[in-house]
Amino acid sequence: MKVLGLIGGGQLGMMITEAAKKMPEQISGVIVLDPTPNCPASKVGAKQITADFKDEKAILELADQVDILTYEIESGNSDVLKQAESKTEINPSPETLRIIQDKFLQKSFLAENNIPVTEFLEIKSLEDIKEKINQFGYPALLKARRDAYDGRGNYRIKSPEDIQLAYNNFAGKSLMLEKFVDFKMEVSVIAARNTKGEIATYPVVENIHENNILKITIAPARVSEDIAKQAEKIAHQTMQVLHGAGVFGIEMFVTRNDQVIINEIAPRVHNSGHHTLQSSKTSQFEQHLRAILGLRLGDTTLVHPTIMYNILGTGEFSGKYRISDFSQDNLYLKMYGKDESKPQRKLGHFNLVDQNNTLGVQGLLESLETITKKIKFIQA
Ligand code: ATP
Ligand code: MG
C-alpha cells in the first residue's frame, strides 16, 4: 500500500485521483500540491497542500509524506524534484522531465535519437532570428522554450516586419525557432512505459484545435493504416529512448506528403487521452498509475469509437455558471468542479461513445453537431 503524491490538482490530477481510488490494494491515499484552494483533485478526495508548484519547501514536504510522487504538469521544478528523489520515488523521473520541459532540449534529444521532429534552431538574440529564419522561410514560429501551454508560447512570424514584434513578445525568455509545418492533420498517441520497461501505446487519435486549444479528439484518427503504423512506431521508439515511467502524450503532425513527425511530448496524461475513460478497457489515468507502480500495463485496445469534446468557458461572461442539459444515453459528461467560468477555461469534457459500434466516426460527428447546438452557459 502506497501513498501517492501528485504535483498539480487540476482536472488531470482529479482524474488520476479518481483512478487511484479504484486501486485500494495498491494506493491508500492521495496528497496533492496545488496553489488553488479546493482544487479539483481535492474535491474528489485528495488531501491538499496549498502552495505554488515551484515552492521548494512544499515540494519537499510533499515528498516526505508520500511513497511515490508524480505530476500532472510539466512546469515542475526539476532541480527541486531531483533533491526530492532522495526522499521518495518520482516518476516520470526528474531527468526525463528536465529534457521534456524545455522544447529545445526535447527536440534535440528526439533528433539525436533519429525520431522525426519539426525542423528547429536555437535562438539567442534578435540577430539570430533575422539570420536563421532564412533557412526556414515565412511563416516560421518563434517559441518560448519553457512553460508554454495552449499555444501561448508561440508567435507566428509572417514577414520580416514581424521579427521585432515576435522578439519583444518574449522579453527575457529563452527561445527557439521552428519551421512552419503545413500539416494535414494533428494526431497524438498516448503511450505508457512502466518502471520495468514494458511499453504500451493507444491507437492514434485525431485532434482538432480552436484558438490553439484542443476542442475535439476523434478516436480513432481518420488516417490510413500506413499513417497509423508510423505514428505508433514513433511513439514506441520515443518510449524506448525516454527512460521515464508513466503515461506520455505525444503530439504529432501528419504532413501533406503523409509523413508523421513529432510536434511535442507531454510527460503526463493528456487531454487527447480523455476518451479512454469510456472507449478503452484501461483509462489513461489507470494506465499511468499502473506504469509508475510497476504493475503490468493494461489493455489499450479501442473498444468503441469515441469523440471527446472539451467544454471551454465562452467569451460571453466570466463567473459562476450553470450549463444547459444536453444529456443522452451515449454521452458521458465530466465536469471538473471549477465554480467559475472564464473565456477558454477548460471546465469539463464529454465523451460521445459509439456503444454498439454501429455509428462510426461519421455518425458520431453528426450526432455531435446536434448536441453542441444545445450547449448553453447560464449565469448562476
Ligand atoms: P499545448 O499546451 O496546446 O499542447 P503548447 O502551447 O505547448 O501547446 P505547441 O504544441 O508547441 O504549444 O503548439 C500549439 C499548436 O500550434 C499546435 O497544436 C499546432 O496547431 C501549432 N503549431 C505548433 N508548432 C507548429 C509548427 N512548427 N508548424 C505549424 N503549426 C504549429
Ligand atoms: Mg502542444
Side-chain angles (χ1 to χ4, degrees):
M1 288 274 270
K2 288 182 168 159
V3 176
L4 174 76
L6 197 51
I7 300 178
Q11 62 266 21
L12 302 179
M14 169 184 138
M15 290 182 273
I16 293 172
T17 303
E18 287 172 332
K21 289 204 300 198
K22 291 186 194 150
M23 300 169 82
E25 282 168 25
Q26 282 86 21
I27 299 171
S28 56
V30 181
I31 308 177
V32 64
L33 172 78
D34 195 283
T36 311
N38 297 315
C39 67
S42 78
K43 291 189 175 168
V44 296
K47 257 174 61 182
Q48 180 173 358
I49 295 174
T50 308
D52 191 83
F53 301 126
K54 298 198 180 185
D55 182 327
E56 193 170 333
K57 214 174 125 243
I59 292 172
L60 295 174
E61 182 192 329
L62 176 66
D64 270 331
Q65 293 180 25
V66 301
D67 302 300
I68 180 161
L69 185 61
T70 189
Y71 39 90
E72 61 141 35
I73 47 156
E74 55 266 55
S75 61
N77 183 333
S78 58
D79 292 334
V80 179
L81 287 176
K82 269 186 191 150
Q83 285 178 50
E85 255 183 326
S86 62
K87 298 175 184 285
T88 188
E89 188 181 335
I90 306 176
N91 280 305
S93 73
E95 179 53 23
T96 302
L97 177 64
R98 187 186 68 84
I99 296 169
I100 292 186
Q101 70 185 180
D102 179 327
K103 289 183 181 194
F104 178 75
L105 288 185
Q106 181 192 130
K107 286 207 164 81
S108 305
F109 176 82
L110 293 169
E112 278 159 22
N113 284 288
N114 295 316
I115 294 171
V117 288
T118 334
E119 285 179 61
F120 66 100
L121 291 166
E122 188 174 15
I123 292 297
K124 295 239 150 135
S125 64
L126 180 63
E127 287 312 308
D128 229 8
I129 310 178
K130 289 182 182 161
E131 192 189 305
K132 289 177 174 164
I133 202 161
N134 297 317
Q135 290 186 45
F136 293 155
Y138 297 90
L141 282 176
L142 188 65
K143 290 191 176 184
R145 286 171 55 168
R146 299 172 66 101
D147 295 342
Y149 65 99
D150 295 341
R152 282 175 226 208
N154 296 354
Y155 197 104
R156 195 189 286 205
I157 303 178
K158 298 193 192 87
S159 66
E161 294 79 66
D162 288 344
I163 293 178
Q164 181 78 52
L165 291 169
Y167 187 72
N168 294 346
N169 185 56
F170 294 117
K173 295 207 167 132
S174 48
L175 300 172
M176 64 187 286
L177 190 69
E178 266 184 37
K179 188 178 167 111
F180 185 81
V181 182
D182 182 22
F183 54 78
K184 219 190 234 178
M185 190 187 278
E186 290 195 72
V187 297
S188 59
V189 173
I190 304 296
R193 184 176 178 279
N194 73 8
T195 51
K196 303 190 168 108
E198 186 193 354
I199 293 170
T201 57
Y202 286 87
V204 62
V205 299
E206 174 178 346
N207 297 317
I208 299 171
H209 293 83
E210 258 178 45
N211 305 317
N212 277 312
I213 298 182
L214 182 68
K215 188 71 192 175
I216 295 171
T217 294
I218 302 173
R222 293 169 293 175
V223 294
S224 67
E225 211 165 293
D226 170 59
I227 289 175
K229 280 207 180 108
Q230 277 189 58
E232 233 164 274
K233 187 170 160 223
I234 289 171
H236 207 271
Q237 283 173 337
T238 304
M239 297 315 290
Q240 277 173 330
V241 296
L242 259 187
H243 284 287
V247 158
F248 295 76
I250 308 180
E251 302 174 8
M252 308 174 190
F253 297 133
V254 179
T255 67
R256 295 272 157 209
N257 50 12
D258 287 344
Q259 297 300 304
V260 179
I261 55 179
I262 290 190
N263 167 37
E264 63 163 348
I265 302 174
R268 51 170 172 78
V269 291
H270 193 259
N271 197 166
S272 72
H274 293 358
H275 69 90
T276 58
L277 282 168
Q278 272 80 36
S279 68
S280 313
K281 289 216 174 77
T282 317
S283 78
Q284 64 164 345
F285 307 101
E286 176 186 341
Q287 191 78 310
H288 180 63
L289 296 172
R290 300 187 73 83
I292 64 176
L293 290 165
L295 301 176
R296 284 201 57 191
L297 294 176
D299 186 347
T300 56
T301 312
L302 184 76
V303 183
H304 303 292
T306 295
I307 290 181
M308 190 279 319
Y309 181 89
N310 266 347
I311 298 173
L312 305 175
T314 62
E316 274 109 67
F317 71 84
S318 295
K320 293 213 186 316
Y321 69 99
R322 222 161 35 80
I323 204 159
S324 55
D325 178 23
F326 48 88
S327 55
Q328 63 179 51
D329 273 359
N330 65 338
L331 187 155
Y332 295 81
L333 177 67
K334 179 120 212 134
M335 297 303 290
Y336 304 147
K338 299 178 186 177
D339 299 331
E340 304 215 344
S341 176
K342 288 180 202 155
Q344 306 282 58
R345 188 176 196 197
K346 286 178 178 167
L347 300 171
H349 75 263
F350 63 78
N351 285 333
L352 193 62
V353 186
D354 185 5
Q355 278 162 321
N356 304 316
N357 295 358
T358 49
L359 301 171
V361 162
Q362 194 49 39
L364 288 174
L365 282 169
E366 281 159 27
S367 170
L368 180 68
E369 210 180 313
T370 317
I371 295 162
T372 53
K373 289 197 184 109
K374 297 188 203 158
I375 305 176
K376 297 270 179 304
F377 279 74
I378 302 148
Q379 195 108 45

